[in-house]
Amino acid sequence: MTTPKDACDIVMKGGITSGVVYPLAIYKLSQNYRFENIGGTSAGAIAAVMTAAAEYGRETGGFEKIKALPEDLSTTLIDKFQPTPQFTPLFQVTRMAIDEGLIKTLRSLPFIYWRTALMGAVPGLIVLLLSAVSANWALGLLGLLLFLLLGFGGGVWGAVRQITVDLPAANYGMCPGTNQPGFKGSAISDWMTDKIDLFAGLDEKMAVPDDLKSFTAVATYKRPLTIRDLKEKGITVATVTTDLTSHRPYKLPMDNNLYFFKRTEFMKFFPERVVLHMCATSQPVSNDTIDNPDGEFYYFRNDDLPAVVLARMSLSFPFLFTTVPLYRCDYTFKDKQDQRKPVKSHFSDGGISSNFPVHFFDQFLPHTPTFGIALDEIEPKRFFPEDAKKIETGTDEADVRVRLPTDIGGGRLVPTSGIGGVVSFLMAMFNSAKDWQDSLQSILTGYRERIVTVSLKNEEGGLNLSMPAEKVEKLIAFGEAAGQRLIDDFVLEEHRWRRVLVEMTALEEALANFSENWTSTKAGQSYEDLLLTYKSGAYSSLSDETRRMIRDRAAALAALSKDWAHGDCLAAAKNMPKTRSEIRNTAHMGD
């Protein structure tokens, strides 16, 4: 395939099975753009690393191979979700609850957890036997009642025990990601690893290092695509994961070296060749850092990290997929011995903290677009009557479901979402807490006109693990239409025009605040004097020359703002963009 002249970045939203919309969207865009920066969360993270792999292997048909992916997904989607044998009953319960509702699921618990149901029903069986011996029908009725009630209770107890006892012991998930006995096809981690290598055109064998030969029975392994490989071709990929143990999101790959992984543990979540490469390209943690590392702990390094790790760590949907455990020393502990004991950190789904990181790769005054592909719940009231009727009858096409707000008034408002009951209320609280920043960012002028949204019904995408092939194929077609919509309707010059209006307004407001506080003496010294005279314990080695440089540049910014203040305020000018942004310091997700 010829490499396009124009470049773009892309960010894709999470959504579990909704991710089937991405392959053809990516293929369409690849005809007009080369991908430089690629990001996503959860299912969007899978699409991100596969897009990066296809861009890496563009010359060997990477995107033609992505084009063929939907045929695989339409018939094998459920195969990617493989629980361990221990959790096969709970996985069955989960699928039934999603597909057939709570009542039927509850009725089925004694049959799914028949062992605990039978144990619970033993007293009822004993009473039934006694009634048969004594020919006491009243006692028989009591025995039957006990048999049914206690048997049902035993089934419920089996499910409750798996949730409360077994899940925590198994890193809070049913599916580790690797192939499990009794399933056809490849589980998600094995499937992703193979597809990434296929798209990238990699087939390189590596010898197992001597220090790892006691760990594996193989002499060579197939090298997986890494972050370093992508960087060498000018491709950046980033995903979001959530460290539940420290209550924060992380942008992967990380910019720190705080964490380490346990090699035997990682074998549960990734193919052997991925773990071998991680060990071969990292350094084992020594006794100088932690007690008794036993050669099991390795630093979770950046550049040589296999790309599949970024996707799997972002995909750890709570209770469906296991968390991915990393370890770190907590140096906030006062006792040195406590600092040397690794704390297990559970990395879960990136969507818990940022399900649509549309801010990834953003910069002032961009020269290339950062496209976003978002997924949303459908609300027929937001469509014209004829289109709402098509949605209701299932005869709607992509032109109804796929939207890109190119006009100046489109997409400025966050839509409402009804609340119907306690569960809905709790989910609304959870979604508000995790999504508000992404939601507000997505409606800004300079953002919304580059985000194409695919609206999905309740039975489409998400946790609908058992979608029939025809529904999967329909979502895939919507994805193709989303890519085409961006190609047809997005205008880069219009986007740049809107961005400069919004950013100049935000800059003016930020500088006005800076200028006002620069000369203020409310706290004693002005900042101008503070920079030259304050004797700090922190950064005390800062030279006088550097202090003066900071002072002079800050003074120039303050003076610039005062010059602007003699004219009209941009934010109050007529016909300027209504949606506003602000410039402020924010924590970097990768540190």
Side-chain angles (χ1 to χ4, degrees), residues 508-530:
E508 183 184 68
E509 291 183 351
L511 282 178
N513 180 264
F514 181 90
S515 178
E516 180 182 351
N517 291 325
W518 171 247
T519 55
S520 173
T521 57
K522 287 181 181 179
Q525 285 183 305
S526 68
Y527 275 97
E528 185 171 19
D529 294 333
L530 185 78

Side-chain angles (χ1 to χ4, degrees), residues 369-485:
T370 297
F371 292 129
I373 303 179
L375 308 166
D376 198 8
E377 294 179 6
I378 203 162
E379 171 49 74
K381 293 178 182 178
R382 297 193 177 96
F383 296 84
F384 292 113
E386 58 271 23
D387 290 335
K389 185 67 175 177
K390 291 178 182 177
I391 293 169
E392 182 183 347
T393 57
T395 58
D396 56 315
E397 300 296 335
D399 61 330
V400 175
R401 299 277 207 102
V402 179
R403 64 186 188 277
L404 180 68
T406 53
D407 64 283
I408 195 64
R412 287 198 314 192
L413 300 174
V414 177
T416 58
S417 183
I419 297 176
V422 173
V423 174
S424 176
F425 179 75
L426 292 173
M427 287 303 298
M429 287 197 299
F430 175 71
N431 290 333
S432 298
K434 75 183 184 70
D435 290 339
W436 70 270
Q437 295 183 76
D438 294 342
S439 297
L440 292 182
Q441 194 81 22
S442 298
I443 63 170
L444 286 176
T445 301
Y447 282 79
R448 60 179 182 266
E449 71 271 8
R450 58 183 171 86
I451 299 173
V452 63
T453 301
V454 180
S455 296
L456 305 178
K457 294 181 179 180
N458 289 334
E459 66 271 18
E460 297 170 339
L463 279 171
N464 293 289
L465 309 180
S466 306
M467 280 192 298
E470 60 269 19
K471 280 190 179 178
V472 175
E473 289 166 0
K474 190 168 189 177
L475 297 192
I476 289 167
F478 290 161
E480 183 177 21
Q484 191 64 52
R485 186 68 56 85

Side-chain angles (χ1 to χ4, degrees), residues 141-169:
L141 186 60
L142 175 63
L144 180 61
L145 187 61
L146 286 173
F147 176 83
L148 294 175
L149 289 176
L150 295 177
F152 178 76
V156 172
W157 167 244
V160 169
R161 179 178 172 77
Q162 282 225 292
I163 293 169
T164 60
V165 177
D166 297 339
L167 272 177

Side-chain angles (χ1 to χ4, degrees), residues 43-230:
I46 299 177
V49 297
M50 290 193 174
T51 302
E55 187 62 68
Y56 180 90
R58 180 185 282 270
E59 294 178 1
T60 57
F63 287 107
E64 293 299 325
K65 295 168 188 174
I66 272 194
K67 185 181 180 182
L69 191 59
E71 185 178 346
D72 175 20
L73 289 174
S74 66
T75 56
T76 67
L77 184 61
I78 189 61
D79 297 339
K80 311 297 178 279
F81 304 89
Q82 296 186 11
T84 60
Q86 177 187 19
F87 289 111
T88 299
L90 188 60
F91 187 72
Q92 185 180 348
V93 168
T94 302
R95 288 183 61 184
M96 186 174 289
I98 295 167
D99 297 340
E100 303 184 41
L102 184 61
I103 300 302
K104 187 168 183 178
T105 304
L106 287 173
R107 288 202 304 261
S108 300
L109 287 179
F111 302 98
I112 296 172
Y113 290 95
W114 61 269
R115 289 185 179 86
T116 53
L118 192 58
M119 290 172 61
V122 166
L125 283 172
I126 293 172
V127 174
L128 279 171
L129 288 172
L130 290 174
S131 70
V133 171
S134 61
N136 186 331
W137 297 111
L139 191 62
L141 186 60
L142 175 63
L144 180 61
L145 187 61
L146 286 173
F147 176 83
L148 294 175
L149 289 176
L150 295 177
F152 178 76
V156 172
W157 167 244
V160 169
R161 179 178 172 77
Q162 282 225 292
I163 293 169
T164 60
V165 177
D166 297 339
L167 272 177
N171 292 301
Y172 301 95
M174 296 178 283
C175 304
T178 48
N179 294 335
Q180 300 299 309
F183 289 89
K184 62 179 182 178
S186 295
I188 193 73
S189 292
D190 295 83
W191 177 78
M192 286 192 297
T193 304
D194 291 340
K195 290 298 182 184
I196 289 168
D197 290 348
L198 174 67
F199 299 158
L202 282 185
D203 192 19
E204 181 183 353
K205 293 293 178 64
M206 302 285 288
V208 174
D210 290 341
D211 59 340
L212 290 175
K213 286 182 177 177
S214 61
F215 171 62
T216 178
V218 301
T220 62
Y221 65 91
K222 185 179 176 183
R223 186 175 75 83
L225 182 72
T226 67
I227 303 305
R228 186 186 300 277
D229 295 327
L230 296 171

Side-chain angles (χ1 to χ4, degrees), residues 7 18 30 32 67 110 119 132 135 204 267 299 428 474 571:
S18 309
S30 73
N32 290 65
K67 185 181 180 182
M119 290 172 61
E204 181 183 353
M267 292 283 286
Y299 283 101
K474 190 168 189 177

Side-chain angles (χ1 to χ4, degrees), residues 181-320:
F183 289 89
K184 62 179 182 178
S186 295
I188 193 73
S189 292
D190 295 83
W191 177 78
M192 286 192 297
T193 304
D194 291 340
K195 290 298 182 184
I196 289 168
D197 290 348
L198 174 67
F199 299 158
L202 282 185
D203 192 19
E204 181 183 353
K205 293 293 178 64
M206 302 285 288
V208 174
D210 290 341
D211 59 340
L212 290 175
K213 286 182 177 177
S214 61
F215 171 62
T216 178
V218 301
T220 62
Y221 65 91
K222 185 179 176 183
R223 186 175 75 83
L225 182 72
T226 67
I227 303 305
R228 186 186 300 277
D229 295 327
L230 296 171
K231 282 185 175 180
E232 288 174 353
K233 284 203 173 183
I235 304 165
T236 298
V237 64
T239 66
V240 181
T241 186
T242 306
D243 181 0
L244 298 178
T245 314
S246 57
H247 310 156
R248 59 154 294 177
Y250 265 108
K251 179 181 177 181
L252 295 174
M254 295 178 182
D255 294 331
N256 63 49
N257 205 26
L258 287 174
Y259 291 90
F260 12 96
F261 67 95
K262 197 172 184 179
R263 63 183 184 182
T264 50
E265 201 168 41
F266 253 49
M267 292 283 286
K268 300 175 184 176
F269 315 113
F270 298 98
E272 182 180 35
R273 63 191 181 93
V274 171
V275 181
L276 282 172
H277 194 72
M278 291 178 70
C279 294
T281 55
S282 182
Q283 293 293 323
V285 182
S286 71
N287 281 305
D288 294 336
T289 304
I290 62 174
D291 294 322
N292 303 315
D294 296 330
E296 279 292 304
F297 291 97
Y298 287 76
Y299 283 101
F300 188 70
R301 303 189 73 88
N302 290 328
D303 283 355
D304 290 301
L305 198 64
V308 68
V309 176
L310 274 64
R312 174 63 181 86
M313 287 184 67
S314 185
L315 183 67
S316 302
F317 190 84
F319 306 119
L320 179 59

